Coordinates of all heavy atoms in Angstrom, one line a residue:
M732 N 7.6 -1.8 21.2 CA 7.0 -0.5 21.1 C 6.2 -0.5 19.8 O 6.7 -0.9 18.7 CB 8.1 0.6 21.0 CG 7.5 2.1 21.0 SD 8.8 3.3 21.1 CE 9.7 3.1 19.6
K733 N 5.0 0.0 19.8 CA 4.2 0.1 18.6 C 4.4 1.4 17.9 O 4.6 2.4 18.4 CB 2.7 0.1 19.0 CG 2.0 -1.2 19.1 CD 1.7 -1.7 17.7 CE 1.0 -3.0 17.7 NZ 0.9 -3.6 16.3
R734 N 4.6 1.2 16.5 CA 4.9 2.4 15.7 C 3.7 2.5 14.7 O 3.0 1.6 14.5 CB 6.2 2.1 15.0 CG 7.5 2.2 15.8 CD 8.6 1.8 15.1 NE 9.8 2.1 15.8 CZ 10.4 3.2 15.8 NH1 10.0 4.2 14.9 NH2 11.5 3.4 16.6
Q735 N 3.7 3.7 14.2 CA 2.7 4.0 13.2 C 3.3 4.2 11.9 O 4.4 4.7 11.7 CB 2.0 5.4 13.7 CG 0.7 5.7 12.9 CD -0.2 6.4 13.7 OE1 -0.3 6.2 14.9 NE2 -0.9 7.3 13.2
Q736 N 2.5 3.8 10.9 CA 3.0 3.8 9.4 C 2.9 5.2 8.8 O 1.8 5.8 9.0 CB 2.2 2.8 8.7 CG 2.8 2.4 7.4 CD 2.1 1.3 6.8 OE1 0.9 1.0 7.0 NE2 2.8 0.5 5.8
C737 N 3.9 5.7 8.3 CA 3.9 6.8 7.5 C 3.0 6.7 6.3 O 3.2 5.8 5.6 CB 5.3 7.2 7.1 SG 5.4 8.7 6.0
P738 N 2.0 7.6 6.1 CA 1.1 7.5 4.9 C 1.8 7.7 3.6 O 1.3 7.4 2.5 CB 0.1 8.5 5.1 CG 0.7 9.6 6.0 CD 1.7 8.8 6.8
C739 N 3.0 8.3 3.6 CA 3.6 8.7 2.4 C 4.6 7.6 1.9 O 4.4 7.1 0.8 CB 4.4 10.0 2.5 SG 5.2 10.5 1.1
C740 N 5.5 7.2 2.8 CA 6.5 6.1 2.3 C 6.3 4.8 2.8 O 6.9 3.9 2.4 CB 7.9 6.6 2.8 SG 8.1 6.5 4.7
D741 N 5.2 4.6 3.7 CA 4.8 3.3 4.3 C 5.7 2.7 5.2 O 5.5 1.6 5.6 CB 4.5 2.3 3.1 CG 3.2 2.7 2.3 OD1 2.3 3.4 2.9 OD2 3.1 2.2 1.2
F742 N 6.8 3.4 5.7 CA 7.7 2.8 6.7 C 7.1 3.3 8.1 O 6.4 4.3 8.2 CB 9.1 3.3 6.6 CG 9.8 2.6 5.3 CD1 10.0 3.4 4.2 CD2 10.0 1.3 5.4 CE1 10.5 2.8 3.1 CE2 10.6 0.7 4.2 CZ 10.9 1.5 3.1
Y743 N 7.4 2.4 9.1 CA 6.8 2.8 10.5 C 7.8 3.7 11.2 O 8.6 3.2 11.9 CB 6.6 1.5 11.2 CG 5.4 0.7 10.6 CD1 5.5 0.0 9.4 CD2 4.3 0.6 11.4 CE1 4.5 -0.7 8.9 CE2 3.2 -0.1 11.0 CZ 3.3 -0.8 9.6 OH 2.2 -1.5 9.2
T744 N 7.6 4.9 11.0 CA 8.5 5.9 11.5 C 8.1 6.7 12.7 O 8.9 7.5 13.2 CB 8.9 6.9 10.4 OG1 7.7 7.4 9.8 CG2 9.7 6.4 9.3
V745 N 6.9 6.4 13.2 CA 6.3 7.2 14.2 C 5.9 6.3 15.4 O 5.3 5.3 15.3 CB 5.1 8.1 13.8 CG1 4.4 8.6 15.0 CG2 5.6 9.2 12.9
D746 N 6.3 6.8 16.6 CA 6.0 6.2 17.8 C 4.5 6.6 18.2 O 4.2 7.7 18.4 CB 6.8 6.8 18.9 CG 6.5 6.2 20.3 OD1 5.5 5.5 20.4 OD2 7.1 6.5 21.3
S747 N 3.6 5.6 18.0 CA 2.2 6.0 18.1 C 1.7 6.2 19.6 O 0.6 6.5 19.8 CB 1.3 4.8 17.6 OG 1.6 3.6 18.2
E748 N 2.7 6.1 20.5 CA 2.4 6.4 21.9 C 2.3 7.9 22.1 O 1.6 8.3 23.2 CB 3.3 5.7 22.8 CG 3.0 4.2 23.1 CD 4.1 3.4 23.6 OE1 4.9 4.0 24.4 OE2 4.3 2.3 23.2
D749 N 2.7 8.6 21.2 CA 2.6 10.1 21.3 C 1.2 10.4 21.2 O 0.5 9.9 20.2 CB 3.4 10.8 20.3 CG 4.9 10.6 20.5 OD1 5.3 10.4 21.7 OD2 5.6 10.9 19.5
E750 N 0.6 11.2 22.1 CA -0.9 11.6 21.9 C -1.1 12.3 20.6 O -2.1 12.2 19.9 CB -1.4 12.2 23.1 CG -1.7 11.2 24.2 CD -2.5 11.8 25.3 OE1 -3.2 12.8 25.1 OE2 -2.4 11.3 26.5
V751 N -0.3 13.4 20.5 CA -0.5 14.3 19.3 C 0.7 14.0 18.4 O 1.8 14.2 18.8 CB -0.5 15.7 19.7 CG1 -0.7 16.5 18.4 CG2 -1.7 15.9 20.7
I752 N 0.4 13.6 17.2 CA 1.5 13.3 16.3 C 1.8 14.6 15.5 O 1.1 14.9 14.6 CB 1.1 12.2 15.4 CG1 0.9 10.9 16.2 CG2 2.2 11.9 14.3 CD1 0.2 9.8 15.4
V753 N 2.9 15.3 15.9 CA 3.3 16.3 15.1 C 4.7 16.0 14.8 O 5.6 16.4 15.5 CB 3.2 17.7 15.8 CG1 2.4 18.6 15.0 CG2 2.8 17.6 17.2
D754 N 4.9 15.3 13.7 CA 6.3 14.8 13.5 C 6.6 14.8 11.9 O 5.6 14.8 11.2 CB 6.4 13.4 14.0 CG 7.8 12.9 14.3 OD1 8.7 13.8 14.1 OD2 8.0 11.8 14.8
I755 N 7.8 14.9 11.7 CA 8.2 14.7 10.3 C 8.9 13.4 10.1 O 9.8 13.1 10.9 CB 9.1 16.0 9.9 CG1 8.3 17.2 9.9 CG2 9.7 15.7 8.5 CD1 9.0 18.5 9.6
C756 N 8.5 12.7 9.0 CA 9.0 11.5 8.8 C 10.5 11.5 8.4 O 10.9 12.4 7.5 CB 8.3 10.8 7.7 SG 8.9 9.2 7.2
D757 N 11.4 10.8 9.0 CA 12.8 10.8 8.7 C 13.2 10.2 7.4 O 14.3 10.5 6.9 CB 13.6 10.1 9.8 CG 13.6 10.8 11.1 OD1 13.4 12.0 11.1 OD2 13.8 10.1 12.2
V758 N 12.3 9.4 6.9 CA 12.6 8.7 5.7 C 12.1 9.5 4.4 O 12.8 9.4 3.4 CB 11.9 7.2 5.8 CG1 12.1 6.5 4.5 CG2 12.6 6.4 6.9
C759 N 11.0 10.1 4.5 CA 10.5 10.8 3.3 C 10.3 12.3 3.5 O 10.0 13.0 2.6 CB 9.2 10.1 2.8 SG 7.8 10.4 4.0
F760 N 10.4 12.7 4.8 CA 10.2 14.1 5.2 C 8.7 14.6 5.1 O 8.4 15.8 5.1 CB 11.1 15.2 4.4 CG 11.7 16.2 5.2 CD1 12.7 15.9 6.3 CD2 11.2 17.5 5.3 CE1 13.1 16.9 7.1 CE2 11.6 18.5 6.2 CZ 12.7 18.2 7.1
W761 N 7.8 13.7 5.0 CA 6.4 14.1 5.1 C 6.0 14.5 6.5 O 6.4 13.8 7.5 CB 5.5 12.9 4.7 CG 4.0 13.1 4.9 CD1 3.2 12.6 5.9 CD2 3.2 13.8 4.0 NE1 2.0 13.1 5.7 CE2 1.9 13.8 4.5 CE3 3.4 14.5 2.8 CZ2 0.8 14.4 4.0 CZ3 2.3 15.2 2.2 CH2 1.0 15.1 2.8
Q762 N 5.3 15.6 6.6 CA 4.8 16.0 8.0 C 3.5 15.4 8.2 O 2.6 15.6 7.5 CB 4.8 17.5 8.1 CG 4.5 17.8 9.5 CD 4.7 19.3 9.8 OE1 5.4 20.0 9.1 NE2 4.0 19.9 10.8
Y763 N 3.4 14.6 9.4 CA 2.1 14.1 9.7 C 1.0 15.1 9.8 O 1.2 16.1 10.5 CB 2.2 13.2 10.9 CG 3.1 12.1 10.8 CD1 4.5 12.2 10.8 CD2 2.5 10.8 10.3 CE1 5.3 11.1 10.5 CE2 3.4 9.8 10.1 CZ 4.7 9.9 10.1 OH 5.5 8.9 9.9
D764 N -0.1 15.0 9.2 CA -1.2 15.9 9.1 C -2.5 15.1 8.8 O -2.7 14.6 7.8 CB -0.9 16.8 7.9 CG -2.0 17.9 7.9 OD1 -3.1 17.7 8.3 OD2 -1.6 19.0 7.4
L765 N -3.2 14.9 10.0 CA -4.3 14.0 9.9 C -5.4 14.5 8.9 O -6.1 13.7 8.3 CB -5.0 14.0 11.2 CG -4.2 13.2 12.4 CD1 -4.8 13.2 13.7 CD2 -3.9 11.8 11.9
I766 N -5.5 15.9 8.7 CA -6.5 16.4 7.8 C -6.1 16.0 6.3 O -6.8 15.6 5.4 CB -6.7 17.9 7.9 CG1 -7.4 18.1 9.3 CG2 -7.6 18.5 6.9 CD1 -7.3 19.6 9.8
A767 N -4.7 16.3 6.0 CA -4.2 15.9 4.7 C -4.4 14.5 4.5 O -4.6 14.0 3.3 CB -2.8 16.3 4.6
H768 N -4.3 13.6 5.5 CA -4.5 12.2 5.3 C -5.9 11.8 4.9 O -6.1 10.8 4.2 CB -4.0 11.4 6.6 CG -2.6 11.7 6.9 ND1 -2.1 11.2 8.2 CD2 -1.6 12.3 6.3 CE1 -0.8 11.7 8.2 NE2 -0.5 12.3 7.2
E769 N -6.8 12.6 5.3 CA -8.2 12.3 5.1 C -8.5 12.8 3.6 O -9.5 12.3 3.0 CB -9.1 13.1 6.0 CG -9.1 12.7 7.5 CD -9.7 11.3 7.6 OE1 -10.9 11.1 7.1 OE2 -9.2 10.5 8.4
L770 N -7.8 13.8 3.1 CA -8.0 14.4 1.8 C -6.8 14.3 1.0 O -6.1 15.3 0.7 CB -8.4 15.8 2.1 CG -9.7 16.1 2.8 CD1 -9.8 17.5 3.3 CD2 -10.9 15.6 2.1
P771 N -6.4 13.1 0.6 CA -5.1 12.9 0.0 C -4.8 13.6 -1.4 O -3.8 13.7 -1.9 CB -5.0 11.4 -0.2 CG -6.3 10.9 -0.1 CD -7.1 11.9 0.7
D772 N -5.9 14.1 -2.0 CA -5.8 14.8 -3.3 C -5.6 16.3 -3.0 O -5.3 17.0 -4.1 CB -7.0 14.5 -4.2 CG -7.0 13.1 -4.7 OD1 -5.8 12.7 -5.1 OD2 -8.0 12.5 -4.8
K773 N -5.8 16.8 -1.9 CA -5.8 18.1 -1.6 C -4.5 18.6 -1.1 O -3.8 18.0 -0.3 CB -6.9 18.5 -0.5 CG -8.3 18.4 -1.0 CD -9.0 19.7 -1.3 CE -10.5 19.5 -1.5 NZ -10.8 19.1 -2.8
N774 N -4.1 19.8 -1.7 CA -2.8 20.5 -1.2 C -3.2 21.4 0.0 O -3.6 22.5 -0.2 CB -2.2 21.2 -2.3 CG -1.0 22.0 -2.0 OD1 -0.6 22.1 -0.9 ND2 -0.4 22.7 -2.9
I775 N -3.1 20.8 1.2 CA -3.5 21.6 2.4 C -2.4 21.3 3.5 O -1.7 20.3 3.4 CB -4.9 21.2 3.0 CG1 -5.1 19.7 3.0 CG2 -5.9 21.9 2.2 CD1 -6.3 19.3 3.8
G776 N -2.5 22.2 4.5 CA -1.6 22.0 5.6 C -0.1 22.2 5.4 O 0.3 22.8 4.4
A777 N 0.7 21.8 6.4 CA 2.1 22.1 6.4 C 3.0 21.6 5.3 O 4.0 22.2 5.1 CB 2.6 21.7 7.7
N778 N 2.4 20.6 4.7 CA 3.4 20.1 3.6 C 3.4 20.8 2.3 O 4.3 20.7 1.5 CB 2.9 18.6 3.3 CG 3.2 17.7 4.5 OD1 4.3 17.4 4.8 ND2 2.2 17.2 5.2
H779 N 2.4 21.6 2.1 CA 2.3 22.4 0.8 C 2.3 21.5 -0.4 O 2.8 21.9 -1.4 CB 3.3 23.5 0.8 CG 3.3 24.4 2.0 ND1 2.2 25.3 2.2 CD2 4.1 24.5 3.0 CE1 2.5 25.9 3.3 NE2 3.6 25.5 3.8
I780 N 1.7 20.4 -0.3 CA 1.8 19.4 -1.3 C 0.7 18.3 -0.9 O 0.5 18.1 0.3 CB 3.1 18.8 -1.5 CG1 3.2 17.8 -2.7 CG2 3.7 18.0 -0.2 CD1 4.6 17.3 -3.0
S781 N 0.0 17.8 -1.9 CA -1.0 16.8 -1.5 C -0.2 15.5 -1.1 O 0.8 15.1 -1.5 CB -2.0 16.5 -2.6 OG -1.4 15.8 -3.6
L782 N -1.0 14.6 -0.4 CA -0.4 13.3 0.1 C -0.1 12.5 -1.2 O 0.9 11.8 -1.2 CB -1.3 12.6 1.0 CG -0.8 11.2 1.5 CD1 0.6 11.2 2.1 CD2 -1.9 10.6 2.5
N783 N -1.0 12.5 -2.1 CA -0.8 11.7 -3.2 C 0.3 12.1 -4.1 O 1.1 11.3 -4.6 CB -2.2 11.6 -4.2 CG -3.2 10.7 -3.6 OD1 -2.9 9.9 -2.8 ND2 -4.4 11.0 -4.0
Q784 N 0.6 13.5 -4.2 CA 1.7 14.0 -4.9 C 3.0 13.6 -4.1 O 4.0 13.2 -4.7 CB 1.6 15.5 -5.1 CG 2.8 16.1 -5.8 CD 2.8 15.6 -7.3 OE1 1.8 15.8 -8.0 NE2 3.9 15.0 -7.7
A785 N 2.9 13.7 -2.8 CA 4.1 13.3 -2.0 C 4.4 11.8 -2.2 O 5.6 11.5 -2.3 CB 3.8 13.6 -0.5
R786 N 3.4 11.0 -2.3 CA 3.7 9.5 -2.4 C 4.3 9.3 -3.8 O 5.2 8.5 -3.9 CB 2.4 8.7 -2.4 CG 1.8 8.7 -1.0 CD 0.5 7.9 -1.0 NE 0.7 6.5 -1.3 CZ 1.0 5.6 -0.4 NH1 0.9 5.9 0.8 NH2 1.2 4.3 -0.8
E787 N 3.9 10.0 -4.8 CA 4.4 10.0 -6.2 C 5.9 10.4 -6.1 O 6.7 9.7 -6.7 CB 3.6 10.9 -7.1 CG 3.5 10.4 -8.5 CD 3.2 9.0 -8.7 OE1 2.2 8.4 -8.1 OE2 3.9 8.4 -9.5
N788 N 6.1 11.4 -5.5 CA 7.5 11.9 -5.4 C 8.4 10.9 -4.6 O 9.6 10.7 -5.1 CB 7.5 13.3 -4.6 CG 7.1 14.4 -5.5 OD1 6.9 14.3 -6.7 ND2 6.8 15.6 -4.8
Y789 N 7.9 10.4 -3.6 CA 8.7 9.4 -2.9 C 9.1 8.2 -3.8 O 10.2 7.8 -3.7 CB 7.9 8.9 -1.6 CG 8.8 7.9 -0.9 CD1 10.0 8.4 0.0 CD2 8.7 6.6 -0.9 CE1 10.8 7.6 0.6 CE2 9.5 5.7 -0.2 CZ 10.5 6.2 0.5 OH 11.4 5.4 1.1
K790 N 8.2 7.7 -4.6 CA 8.4 6.7 -5.5 C 9.5 7.0 -6.4 O 10.4 6.2 -6.8 CB 7.1 6.3 -6.2 CG 6.3 5.2 -5.6 CD 5.1 4.8 -6.4 CE 3.8 5.0 -5.7 NZ 2.7 5.2 -6.5
L791 N 9.5 8.3 -7.0 CA 10.4 8.7 -8.0 C 11.7 9.2 -7.4 O 12.7 8.8 -7.9 CB 9.8 9.9 -8.7 CG 8.7 9.7 -9.7 CD1 8.0 11.0 -10.1 CD2 9.0 8.8 -10.8
F792 N 11.8 9.9 -6.2 CA 12.9 10.5 -5.8 C 13.4 10.1 -4.4 O 14.4 10.4 -3.9 CB 12.7 12.0 -5.7 CG 12.2 12.6 -7.0 CD1 10.9 13.3 -6.9 CD2 12.8 12.5 -8.2 CE1 10.4 13.8 -8.1 CE2 12.3 13.1 -9.4 CZ 11.1 13.7 -9.3
G793 N 12.5 9.3 -3.7 CA 12.9 8.8 -2.4 C 12.7 9.9 -1.4 O 13.3 9.7 -0.2
V794 N 11.9 10.9 -1.6 CA 11.6 11.9 -0.7 C 10.3 12.6 -1.2 O 10.0 12.6 -2.3 CB 12.8 13.0 -0.7 CG1 13.0 13.6 -2.0 CG2 12.6 14.0 0.4
C795 N 9.5 13.2 -0.1 CA 8.3 13.7 -0.5 C 8.3 15.0 -1.4 O 7.4 15.3 -2.1 CB 7.3 13.9 0.6 SG 7.8 15.3 1.7
K796 N 9.4 15.7 -1.2 CA 9.7 17.0 -2.0 C 11.2 16.9 -2.3 O 11.9 16.9 -1.4 CB 9.3 18.2 -1.2 CG 7.8 18.6 -1.5 CD 7.6 19.8 -0.6 CE 7.0 21.0 -1.4 NZ 6.7 22.1 -0.4
Q797 N 11.5 17.2 -3.5 CA 12.9 17.1 -3.9 C 13.8 18.1 -3.1 O 15.0 17.8 -2.8 CB 13.1 17.3 -5.4 CG 12.8 16.1 -6.2 CD 13.3 16.3 -7.7 OE1 14.5 16.1 -7.8 NE2 12.5 16.6 -8.6
E798 N 13.3 19.1 -2.7 CA 14.1 20.1 -2.0 C 14.5 19.6 -0.6 O 15.4 20.1 0.0 CB 13.3 21.5 -1.8 CG 12.1 21.3 -1.0 CD 11.1 22.5 -1.0 OE1 10.3 22.4 -2.1 OE2 11.2 23.4 -0.3
F799 N 13.9 18.5 -0.2 CA 14.2 18.0 1.2 C 15.2 16.7 1.0 O 15.4 16.0 2.0 CB 13.1 17.6 1.9 CG 12.1 18.7 2.2 CD1 10.7 18.5 2.0 CD2 12.6 19.9 2.6 CE1 9.8 19.6 2.4 CE2 11.7 21.0 2.9 CZ 10.4 20.8 2.7
R800 N 15.6 16.5 -0.2 CA 16.4 15.3 -0.4 C 17.6 15.1 0.5 O 17.9 13.9 0.9 CB 17.0 15.3 -1.9 CG 17.2 14.0 -2.4 CD 17.4 14.2 -3.9 NE 17.3 12.9 -4.6 CZ 17.2 12.9 -5.9 NH1 17.2 14.0 -6.6 NH2 17.2 11.7 -6.5
H801 N 18.3 16.1 0.9 CA 19.4 16.1 1.8 C 19.2 15.8 3.3 O 20.0 15.5 4.0 CB 20.4 17.3 1.5 CG 19.6 18.5 2.0 ND1 18.5 19.0 1.3 CD2 19.8 19.4 3.0 CE1 18.0 20.2 1.9 NE2 18.7 20.3 3.0
L802 N 17.8 15.8 3.5 CA 17.3 15.7 5.0 C 16.9 14.4 5.3 O 16.6 14.1 6.4 CB 16.3 16.8 5.2 CG 16.7 18.2 5.1 CD1 15.5 19.1 5.1 CD2 17.8 18.6 6.1
V803 N 16.8 13.5 4.3 CA 16.1 12.2 4.6 C 17.3 11.1 4.8 O 18.3 11.3 4.3 CB 15.1 11.8 3.5 CG1 13.9 12.7 3.6 CG2 15.8 11.7 2.2
R804 N 16.9 10.0 5.4 CA 17.7 8.8 5.5 C 17.0 7.6 5.1 O 15.8 7.6 4.9 CB 18.1 8.7 7.0 CG 17.1 8.5 7.9 CD 17.5 8.1 9.3 NE 16.5 8.1 10.2 CZ 15.5 7.1 10.3 NH1 15.3 6.2 9.4 NH2 14.5 7.2 11.3
D805 N 17.8 6.5 4.9 CA 17.1 5.1 4.6 C 16.4 4.7 5.9 O 16.8 5.0 7.0 CB 18.2 4.2 4.3 CG 18.8 4.5 2.8 OD1 18.1 5.0 2.0 OD2 19.9 4.1 2.6
P806 N 15.4 3.9 5.6 CA 14.6 3.4 6.8 C 15.5 2.4 7.6 O 16.3 1.7 7.0 CB 13.4 2.6 6.2 CG 13.8 2.4 4.8 CD 14.7 3.5 4.4
I807 N 15.3 2.3 8.9 CA 16.1 1.4 9.6 C 15.2 0.1 9.9 O 14.1 0.0 9.6 CB 16.5 1.9 11.0 CG1 15.2 2.5 11.8 CG2 17.5 3.1 10.9 CD1 15.5 2.8 13.2
E808 N 15.9 -1.0 10.3 CA 15.3 -2.3 10.5 C 13.9 -2.2 11.1 O 13.0 -2.7 10.7 CB 16.3 -3.1 11.3 CG 15.9 -4.6 11.4 CD 16.7 -5.4 10.4 OE1 17.2 -4.8 9.3 OE2 16.9 -6.5 10.6
E809 N 13.8 -1.6 12.3 CA 12.6 -1.6 13.0 C 11.5 -0.8 12.4 O 10.3 -0.8 12.7 CB 12.8 -1.1 14.4 CG 13.2 0.2 14.6 CD 13.8 0.6 16.0 OE1 14.5 -0.2 16.5 OE2 13.3 1.6 16.5
E810 N 11.7 -0.1 11.3 CA 10.7 0.7 10.6 C 10.2 0.0 9.4 O 9.2 0.4 8.7 CB 11.4 2.1 10.1 CG 11.7 3.0 11.3 CD 12.5 4.1 10.9 OE1 13.0 4.2 9.8 OE2 12.7 5.0 11.7
L811 N 10.8 -1.2 9.0 CA 10.3 -1.9 7.8 C 9.0 -2.5 8.1 O 8.7 -3.1 9.2 CB 11.4 -3.0 7.5 CG 12.8 -2.5 7.3 CD1 13.6 -3.7 6.9 CD2 12.8 -1.6 6.0
P812 N 7.9 -2.5 7.1 CA 6.7 -3.1 7.4 C 6.6 -4.5 7.9 O 5.9 -4.9 8.7 CB 6.0 -3.0 6.0 CG 6.7 -1.8 5.4 CD 8.2 -1.9 5.8
E813 N 7.7 -5.4 7.3 CA 7.6 -6.7 7.8 C 8.0 -6.9 9.3 O 7.9 -8.0 9.8 CB 8.6 -7.6 6.8 CG 10.1 -7.0 6.8 CD 10.3 -6.2 5.5 OE1 9.4 -5.5 5.2 OE2 11.4 -6.4 5.0
N814 N 8.6 -5.9 9.8 CA 9.0 -5.9 11.2 C 7.9 -5.4 12.1 O 8.1 -5.2 13.3 CB 10.3 -5.3 11.4 CG 11.4 -6.1 10.9 OD1 11.3 -7.2 10.7 ND2 12.5 -5.4 10.4
N815 N 6.8 -4.8 11.5 CA 5.7 -4.2 12.3 C 4.3 -4.9 12.1 O 3.4 -4.1 12.2 CB 5.7 -2.7 11.9 CG 6.8 -1.9 12.5 OD1 6.8 -1.6 13.7 ND2 7.9 -1.8 11.7
M816 N 4.3 -6.0 11.7 CA 3.1 -6.7 11.5 C 2.5 -7.2 12.8 O 3.2 -7.7 13.7 CB 3.3 -8.0 10.5 CG 3.7 -7.6 9.2 SD 2.5 -6.5 8.3 CE 3.4 -6.2 6.7
G817 N 1.1 -7.1 12.9 CA 0.5 -7.6 14.0 C 0.8 -6.7 15.3 O 1.2 -7.1 16.3
Ligands
ZN200 ZN1 7.5 8.8 5.4

């Protein structure tokens, strides 16, 4: 199964066979938002935080927003980038 990479935490958390991706990443709690992905410096859409800020938070706290810390989990084997090459 082909998976899609989360733009925030870089793990492959989404099944790309879904036609419309409306999903929240289990690893960083970023909500997929194609417009926000195009404008990573803008605070728009459902996340109420810019993608770049979310990435920064993930690096620091392991979650895109600290308030969601209790909702995230570690990535599983099949979500690791090295297992999704090619
Ligand atoms: Zn993520």
Side-chain angles (χ1 to χ4, degrees):
M732 186 175 66
K733 267 282 182 190
R734 287 170 171 271
Q735 193 149 324
Q736 193 169 27
C737 173
C739 180
C740 67
D741 289 341
F742 291 108
Y743 286 73
T744 50
V745 165
D746 177 359
S747 62
E748 281 160 33
D749 291 343
E750 274 190 28
V751 181
I752 299 169
V753 238
D754 202 357
I755 291 175
C756 177
D757 289 339
V758 172
C759 68
F760 221 74
W761 174 258
Q762 184 168 341
Y763 292 85
D764 183 331
L765 294 176
I766 297 168
H768 301 169
E769 297 287 317
L770 301 164
D772 287 318
K773 291 255 191 280
N774 175 357
I775 47 171
N778 290 290
H779 303 293
I780 185 175
S781 74
L782 176 57
N783 285 341
Q784 183 64 58
R786 293 181 62 93
E787 209 48 46
N788 286 346
Y789 182 74
K790 271 184 237 152
L791 292 171
F792 311 118
V794 63
C795 75
K796 267 174 129 178
Q797 279 198 82
E798 64 196 85
F799 299 138
R800 207 169 193 168
H801 61 294
L802 298 169
V803 295
R804 59 163 172 76
D805 290 332
I807 57 173
E808 190 100 332
E809 63 194 51
E810 293 167 349
L811 303 179
E813 58 261 42
N814 293 330
N815 286 276
M816 295 299 178

